[in-house]
Amino acid sequence: MGVSGCGKSTVGRLLAERLGVNFVEGDALHSDRNVAKMAAGVPLTDADRHGWLQAVAEQLNNPTAEASGVVASCSALKRIYRDLLRAGAPDLRFVFLHGDRALLAQRLGSRSGHYMPPSLLESQLDTLEPPGDDEAPIRLDIALAPPRLVEQALQALQALENPS
């Protein structure tokens, strides 16, 4: 989870590969209307995001995901969004990718072929409610290379499964 440009898809794919589970690209679940709105530089509202979050939740809550696990990329910017995702998947863990605004802007500026324009970074940062300690997030600084982030995520997940 995190704002656009933080590396959710890259880290998520690598993490899913290392865990041997399926990866769900949250961006692919947006409606055509949402994609068009974002492509036009218009931030999504809570109402816009609701159906999309439900689609992500369905991917997390399906029997295959429950049996074998799944990694999904999803901005999950607000606690109410994360609560909706957790409602059907109580064991859901969030890996919060966060970083410097300048680094995020640089990444968005150099990204091609994505509908999310760099101009929406500020609205995402304004919307972001970082997960609280009570949500037990795995917080990772995106200044590190994706393979290192995956290693840190794996270590944190293992520690959650096998507390000392």
Side-chain angles (χ1 to χ4, degrees), residues 25-160:
E25 173 57 69
D27 283 345
L29 301 175
H30 274 293
S31 68
D32 291 343
R33 180 181 176 278
N34 281 2
V35 170
K37 195 170 181 180
M38 288 183 282
V42 179
L44 297 181
T45 65
D46 288 350
D48 293 328
R49 289 184 177 104
H50 188 75
W52 169 65
L53 289 164
Q54 286 181 316
V56 173
E58 287 173 17
Q59 295 295 312
L60 296 170
N61 303 333
N62 74 45
T64 303
E66 289 179 8
S68 62
V70 66
V71 172
S73 63
C74 177
S75 56
L77 297 175
K78 291 184 177 182
R79 184 181 190 116
I80 59 170
Y81 304 165
R82 296 186 295 274
D83 289 346
L84 188 153
L85 296 172
R86 272 192 295 263
D91 294 332
L92 181 62
R93 300 285 183 218
F94 288 95
V95 176
F96 174 40
L97 301 174
H98 63 89
D100 180 73
R101 178 181 312 248
L103 178 56
L104 290 162
Q106 174 196 3
R107 287 182 175 185
L108 287 172
S110 64
R111 182 165 73 173
S112 63
H114 196 281
Y115 57 78
M116 184 73 153
S119 62
L120 288 180
L121 176 59
E122 287 305 314
S123 72
Q124 288 223 322
L125 290 169
D126 289 345
T127 302
L128 177 64
E129 296 171 1
D133 290 341
D134 62 316
E135 295 182 82
I138 297 168
R139 295 180 179 94
L140 302 178
D141 188 332
I142 65 166
L144 299 174
R148 183 67 187 124
L149 293 172
V150 170
E151 287 302 323
Q152 287 185 351
L154 288 168
Q155 290 170 4
L157 287 168
Q158 186 176 18
L160 289 169

